[in-house]
Amino acid sequence: MAAPSPGPREVLAPSPEAGCRAVTSSRRGLLWRLRDKQSRLGLFEISPGHELHGMTCMMQAGLWAATQVSMDHPPTGPPSQDDFSEVLTQVHEGFELGTLAGPAFAWLRRSLGLAEDDYQAALGPGGPYLQFLSTSKSKASFFLSHDQRFFLKTQGRREVQTLLAHLPRYVQHLQRHPHSLLARLLGVHSLRVDRGKKTYFIVMQSVFYPAGRISERYDIKGCEVSRWVDPAPEGSPIVLVLKDLNFQGKTIKLGPQRNWFLRQMELDTTFLRELNVLDYSLLMAFQCLHEDERGLGSSLIFRTGRSVQGAQSPEESGVQNRRLLPDAPNALHILDGPEQRYFLGVVDLATVYGLRKRLEHLWKTLRYPGRTFSTVSPARYARRLCQWVEEHTE
């Protein structure tokens, strides 16, 4: 007799020993705050009194408990079909947190070399989440974990359904191409307060980590309509992510790494085209290398076996477009040129070219004759973004 499908499960959640009360500003010492002040320049703590403080406290307690489940029941092998469809609801005091495809994401995190206890500590109630002012036109809320390693974003139900539908192929793509530029999606959850409407959110690795020395940030779509952001005044603490038109006249100087980058962009955008996805962005950030950091390419360590899983034979390595990873945190999103370090990642992978987007394309064609805009067919979108990368790199 076949084992029954796990389906939705509802359980009473364990609680972290230190709740959100333990992370308020009044409880933290002066030295702790001074230490983090510089690295958090332009970010805002979601402390008591902030309109989102209650919500983020529930997210922290919920994620702590959700991660505890995967620690108590670690994956024993690649995810099954049931793992991709599992929904676990944990009941807390005053709210419920749902974990979608939890076993599949636990396996993915392990394959990326992420320790579950580190993941739990970063996302749980050990420090307040951080907020930044986004230049995105969406109504989503954006957060960073207190150590800035993980990025959280609220999502609509339709976007979540798309991400979950594509998840098996996404996991397969990352296994086939372990150095992919696609953002590493680490979890999908729902938050429901007092039996109200569910709020969905995702967790992913932050492309812009470690952020201490980053000087510029960009969100690139390869088009021009609505792709300008007024820069922050000089000396302003606000961190803005600029857009395509802000990048005019600039170049990404990768040196010998350029061919790898162009090829990986081609592989990743081909995959997204096959999923009928558009409107994703190439995130970029720049950091000047110190004199003693330049020219270290010959001493880099081929870390794939330790940091990510995937086929190991030399023949498969060539097909997978592997590269030498820098011996640095977040190495999969870091590419070192001769003089600058670049943080690179493709994000926002949940917009499908359906009827609504096709109608939007027709309207924008009439509204912006002769101009380029984001709502085009997935094939054209992928081709145009790769062309932008080729024209702006050397």
Side-chain angles (χ1 to χ4, degrees), residues 146-164:
H146 66 88
D147 60 1
Q148 302 185 48
R149 288 176 61 196
F150 302 109
F151 179 87
L152 300 93
K153 177 185 178 182
T154 59
Q155 298 265 225
R157 182 175 181 176
R158 182 179 302 170
E159 294 170 312
V160 165
Q161 290 174 335
T162 297
L163 288 173
L164 294 174

Side-chain angles (χ1 to χ4, degrees), residues 88-100:
L88 172 66
T89 301
Q90 292 176 293
V91 181
H92 299 255
E93 184 178 352
F95 71 97
E96 299 173 356
L97 188 110
T99 299
L100 291 74

Side-chain angles (χ1 to χ4, degrees), residues 266-333:
E266 180 185 355
L267 290 168
D268 289 333
T269 56
T270 296
F271 169 70
L272 295 174
R273 183 193 70 208
E274 292 170 352
L275 295 181
N276 201 34
V277 166
L278 73 158
D279 214 21
Y280 43 89
S281 296
L282 172 64
L283 289 187
M284 303 190 307
F286 302 164
Q287 171 188 310
C288 287
L289 292 174
H290 292 155
E291 195 67 36
D292 60 352
E293 295 174 320
R294 299 179 185 179
L296 295 178
S298 59
S299 64
L300 297 179
I301 303 171
F302 196 28
R303 302 195 315 150
T304 307
R306 180 164 65 87
S307 62
V308 292
Q309 292 180 2
Q312 301 295 318
S313 72
E315 295 80 9
E316 289 170 315
S317 176
V319 172
Q320 291 178 321
N321 196 41
R322 297 191 179 203
R323 65 181 174 97
L324 296 176
L325 296 177
D327 190 14
N330 204 26
L332 290 172
H333 285 304

